[in-house]
């Protein structure tokens, strides 16, 4: 029976990052255990795709901080692994001009010193003429729900026929914002784990049990009838959506599992326009399609009765393994469905049950003012991407130590990809119970700032003024701008 200093259960983005930092922080023998993308029909991950948005603009300062710390290391991860996974194409947040969403993003950006460019509807149309980035995208005619108390009349224009029309605006982030390939990021982290001497075990862990002064980790080998065991002095569980379906933790974290559907469509014509020799390089870069998040409020859209689509996100053309480039659109909370059992989750991943591909495809076509000029059709069965989001009541991940030697980092609410390197680092530090001084942690962050291009340093840096904005976070165990209670766990039995 093999014995390790640390076993990390879950070989996704957070688990692989944690394993890397454990090895770098002095753990001599580390096992990273979990199935590969194609080796299991019993466990699925959310990293089997080529596009996730990365951004510092956020309504939550903690998620913004996690993203900023991770973004500063993207270049070093790419350089050390030889795997490129990051495209700094920018990110655009669009919503009602004085609505709750953009106001929250502005507040967080000010707190984190994230530089954003504000654009009105006319400027949005001039910058990205292909895209419909105004209230007509959803037919958003009224100020609704949580935006009501923040609108003072500035959001309403006369639409020309005497009818009031909601006014949209955009907040545009440059720097490291854009998108990452979760599949390639995982490949990069696994390469670094292997280079540091870590052992990767391609299998599903079924149980973790305390046994004397160490832990026994049980996993299937090949088929369900065969069980093997390894031992580890410490264990980190980073299994996310499947956490409560196996005997991994002494208490069940409270996780609500919801479905997420995305639709991707093949594209053409983007490269030619973006490389137009008649335009300057800077102008072409400005016109390049960014990652886009649209928060509508709650507006009538879709085929279902009383539909109220609250948000969508869109990724610009990204090349997939088949050599084709795709744009991808996903939804907010309206199209989500709750999943209760492991069988429900597996059925969803297998493609069973109804999804909302038709409405999402219609919205994607509506996003482009001339969809026939950019989208290849029609939608094919393989163009639908499904995953499962584990949500927490706090809307933040749980980083929790159950006892000396057993900890978890789970419940990432669908936001982990961009921030996974920092989440893994914090989880590794928590597990090893290293009492890092503030200066040591800040030195680590400052060293990583050098990885950002000089032109982008001012967009993202954390200086002394930033730290003064969050007196709790500056002395927190998690480092500047993250309070001690940011990742507090909630249990099912509470």
């Amino acid at each position: 029976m093999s014995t390790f200093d640390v076993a990390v259960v879950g070989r996704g983005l957070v688990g692989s990052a944690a394993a890397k930092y454990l090895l770098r922080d002095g753990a001599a023998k580390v096992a990273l255990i979990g199935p590969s993308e194609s080796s299991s029909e019993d466990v699925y991950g959310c990293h089997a795709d080529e596009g996730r948005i990365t951004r510092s603009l956020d309504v939550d300062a903690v998620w913004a901080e996690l993203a900023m710390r991770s973004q500063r290391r993207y270049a070093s991860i790419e350089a050390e692994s030889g795997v490129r996974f990051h495209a700094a194409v920018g990110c655009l947040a669009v919503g009602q001009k004085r609505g709750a969403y953009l106001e929250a993003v502005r507040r967080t950006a000010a707190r984190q010193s994230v530089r954003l460019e504000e654009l009105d509807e006319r400027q949005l149309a001039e910058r990205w003429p292909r895209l419909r980035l105004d209230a007509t995208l959803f037919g958003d005619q009224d100020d609704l729900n949580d935006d009501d108390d923040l609108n003072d009349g500035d959001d309403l224009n006369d639409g020309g026929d005497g009818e009031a029309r909601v006014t949209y605006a955009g907040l545009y982030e440059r720097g490291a914002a854009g998108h990452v390939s979760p599949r390639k990021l995982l490949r990069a982290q696994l390469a670094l784990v292997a280079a540091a001497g870590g052992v990767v075990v391609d299998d599903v862990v079924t149980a973790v049990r305390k046994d004397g002064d160490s832990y026994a980790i049980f996993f299937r080998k090949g088929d369900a009838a065969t069980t093997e065991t390894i031992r580890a002095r410490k264990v980190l569980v980073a299994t996310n959506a499947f956490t409560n379906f196996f005997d991994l933790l002494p208490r069940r974290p409270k996780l609500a599992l919801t479905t997420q559907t995305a639709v991707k469509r093949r594209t053409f014509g983007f490269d030619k326009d973006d490389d137009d020799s008649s335009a300057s390089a800077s102008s072409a870069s400005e016109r390049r399609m960014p990652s886009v998040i649209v928060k509508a409020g709650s507006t009538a859209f879709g085929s279902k009765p009383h539909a109220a689509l609250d948000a969508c996100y869109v990724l610009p053309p990204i090349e997939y393994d088949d050599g084709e480039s795709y744009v991808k659109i996903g939804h907010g909370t309206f199209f989500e469905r709750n999943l209760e059992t492991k069988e429900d989750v597996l059925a969803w991943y297998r493609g069973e049950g109804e999804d909302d591909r038709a409405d999402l495809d219609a919205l994607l076509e509506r996003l482009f003012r001339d969809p026939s000029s950019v989208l290849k059709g029609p939608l094919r069965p393989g163009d639908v991407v499904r995953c499962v989001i584990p949500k927490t009541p706090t809307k933040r991940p749980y980083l929790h130590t159950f006892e000396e030697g057993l900890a978890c980092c789970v419940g990432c609410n669908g936001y982990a990809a961009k921030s996974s390197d920092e989440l893994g680092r914090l989880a590794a530090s928590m597990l090893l119970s290293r009492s890092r001084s503030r200066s040591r942690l800040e030195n680590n962050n400052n060293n990583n700032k050098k990885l950002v291009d000089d032109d982008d340093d001012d967009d993202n840096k954390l200086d002394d003024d930033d730290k003064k904005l969050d007196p709790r976070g500056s002395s927190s165990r998690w480092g500047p701008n993250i309070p001690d209670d940011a990742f507090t766990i909630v249990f099912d039995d509470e």
Side-chain angles (χ1 to χ4, degrees):
M1 181 185 296
S2 300
T3 301
F4 292 85
D5 293 324
V6 182
V8 179
V9 179
R11 61 179 284 190
L13 293 172
V14 174
S16 60
K20 175 187 71 176
Y21 286 110
L22 288 163
L23 287 158
R24 292 181 176 182
D25 210 20
K29 294 183 65 178
V30 175
L32 176 61
I33 314 170
S36 63
E37 184 178 323
S38 60
S39 67
S40 174
E41 296 182 355
D42 198 36
V43 170
Y44 293 82
C46 291
H47 53 261
D49 190 33
E50 292 298 336
R52 294 289 188 276
I53 294 176
T54 184
R55 56 191 166 87
S56 300
L57 61 83
D58 208 302
V59 299
D60 185 305
V62 170
W63 277 113
E65 177 70 18
L66 291 170
M68 291 169 68
R69 294 184 191 179
S70 293
Q71 287 171 345
R72 294 183 188 121
R73 303 188 197 112
Y74 288 171
S76 68
I77 296 170
E78 289 184 328
E80 292 171 17
S81 67
V83 180
R84 293 194 62 186
F85 59 84
H86 175 221
V89 300
C91 184
L92 177 68
V94 178
Q96 295 180 14
K97 183 178 179 180
R98 299 297 174 191
Y101 172 57
L102 291 190
E103 288 292 344
V105 171
R106 290 184 188 99
R107 286 195 299 271
T108 301
R111 178 172 177 165
Q112 299 295 114
S113 291
V114 176
R115 185 179 298 169
L116 302 177
E117 178 184 5
E118 185 142 3
L119 303 165
D120 60 27
E121 285 187 352
R122 178 185 59 79
Q123 292 168 319
L124 289 170
E126 290 175 351
R127 182 78 60 87
W128 296 287
R130 297 176 186 270
L131 304 178
R132 187 191 307 273
L133 297 173
D134 57 38
T136 64
L137 175 62
F138 292 111
D140 196 354
Q141 299 298 321
D142 300 293
D143 297 313
L144 298 171
N145 293 346
D146 61 348
D147 285 351
D148 281 347
D149 58 350
L150 287 170
N151 283 299
D152 55 9
D154 290 345
D155 282 358
L156 298 177
N157 287 337
D158 190 323
D161 56 2
E163 181 179 342
R165 182 178 66 80
V166 175
T167 302
Y168 272 23
L171 299 174
Y172 180 49
E173 178 188 2
R174 295 182 177 85
H179 56 85
V180 296
S181 163
R183 182 179 276 140
K184 291 186 176 70
L185 175 54
L186 178 59
R187 188 185 309 160
Q189 299 285 35
L190 291 175
L192 298 180
V193 169
V199 175
V200 178
V201 180
D202 186 357
D203 232 308
V204 177
V205 173
T206 58
V208 176
R209 294 174 187 153
K210 188 70 180 289
D211 185 11
D213 60 355
S214 63
Y215 293 86
I217 298 108
F218 298 86
F219 58 93
R220 293 196 295 271
K221 193 65 178 175
D223 59 67
T226 306
T227 301
E228 293 198 5
T229 310
I230 64 172
R231 301 186 72 86
R233 295 178 182 86
K234 294 178 182 288
V235 176
L236 173 68
V237 174
T239 42
N240 227 19
F242 284 81
T243 300
N244 288 334
F245 297 144
F246 298 98
D247 185 16
L248 305 179
L249 299 171
R251 293 179 71 185
R252 288 167 53 97
K254 191 175 187 63
L255 298 172
L257 304 183
T258 63
T259 63
Q260 179 73 206
T261 305
V263 164
K264 55 188 179 78
R265 284 280 295 275
R266 293 170 293 161
T267 64
F268 64 95
F270 275 85
D271 293 340
K272 179 179 184 299
D273 289 348
D274 289 344
D275 295 334
D276 187 348
S277 60
S278 66
S280 67
S282 61
S283 175
S285 176
E286 287 294 316
R287 290 187 295 105
R288 181 174 54 181
M289 182 177 171
S291 298
V292 180
I293 301 169
V294 182
K295 170 68 174 174
S298 290
T299 59
F301 184 91
S303 58
K304 293 181 173 53
H306 312 298
L309 185 63
D310 58 323
C312 72
Y313 65 89
V314 185
L315 285 109
I318 299 171
E319 185 174 334
Y320 278 69
D321 291 342
D322 62 0
E324 296 266 17
S325 290
Y326 295 80
V327 292
K328 187 177 75 170
I329 186 168
H331 56 79
T333 58
F334 171 68
F335 285 134
E336 291 178 347
R337 295 170 174 78
N338 293 324
L339 302 174
E340 301 295 336
T341 67
K342 183 181 176 184
E343 289 69 30
D344 292 340
V345 173
L346 293 175
W348 175 256
Y349 273 114
R350 289 193 296 262
E352 299 174 18
E354 180 187 7
D355 58 38
D356 299 283
R357 65 187 70 189
D359 285 339
L360 286 171
D361 193 41
L363 184 59
L364 183 60
E365 290 201 352
R366 189 169 174 80
L367 175 71
F368 292 99
R369 295 187 181 275
D370 182 10
S372 64
S373 69
V374 292
L375 298 178
K376 295 180 181 178
L379 184 68
R380 304 168 302 178
D383 294 340
V384 179
V385 180
R386 290 182 170 201
C387 65
V388 175
I389 305 299
K391 294 189 174 185
T392 67
T394 63
K395 299 184 180 179
R396 294 174 181 160
Y398 299 143
L399 273 78
H400 182 74
T401 300
F402 288 86
E403 59 195 29
E404 178 65 29
L406 178 62
C408 74
C409 179
V410 299
C412 292
N413 294 270
Y415 303 132
K418 65 182 184 296
S419 306
S420 57
D421 193 70
E422 178 62 10
L423 283 171
R425 190 185 72 84
L426 293 177
S429 178
M430 174 183 66
L431 181 69
L432 293 180
S433 299
R434 295 274 176 87
S435 177
R436 300 178 186 272
S437 68
R438 176 183 174 189
S439 61
R440 178 181 173 186
L441 194 140
E442 288 174 358
N443 285 338
N444 182 44
N445 286 338
N446 290 334
N447 288 338
N448 285 319
K449 289 180 188 178
K450 298 176 183 178
L451 302 174
V452 182
D453 292 340
D454 290 342
D455 290 342
D456 299 331
D457 283 344
D458 291 339
D459 293 352
N460 296 297
K461 65 183 179 182
L462 283 169
D463 54 22
D464 291 338
D465 289 337
D466 299 320
K467 294 163 192 171
K468 292 174 186 176
L469 293 173
D470 188 353
R472 293 183 307 159
S474 62
S475 58
S476 162
R477 63 182 294 200
W478 311 114
N481 300 314
I482 300 182
D484 280 330
D485 61 356
F487 308 122
T488 300
I489 196 167
V490 180
F491 292 105
D492 252 355
D493 55 9
E494 292 180 334

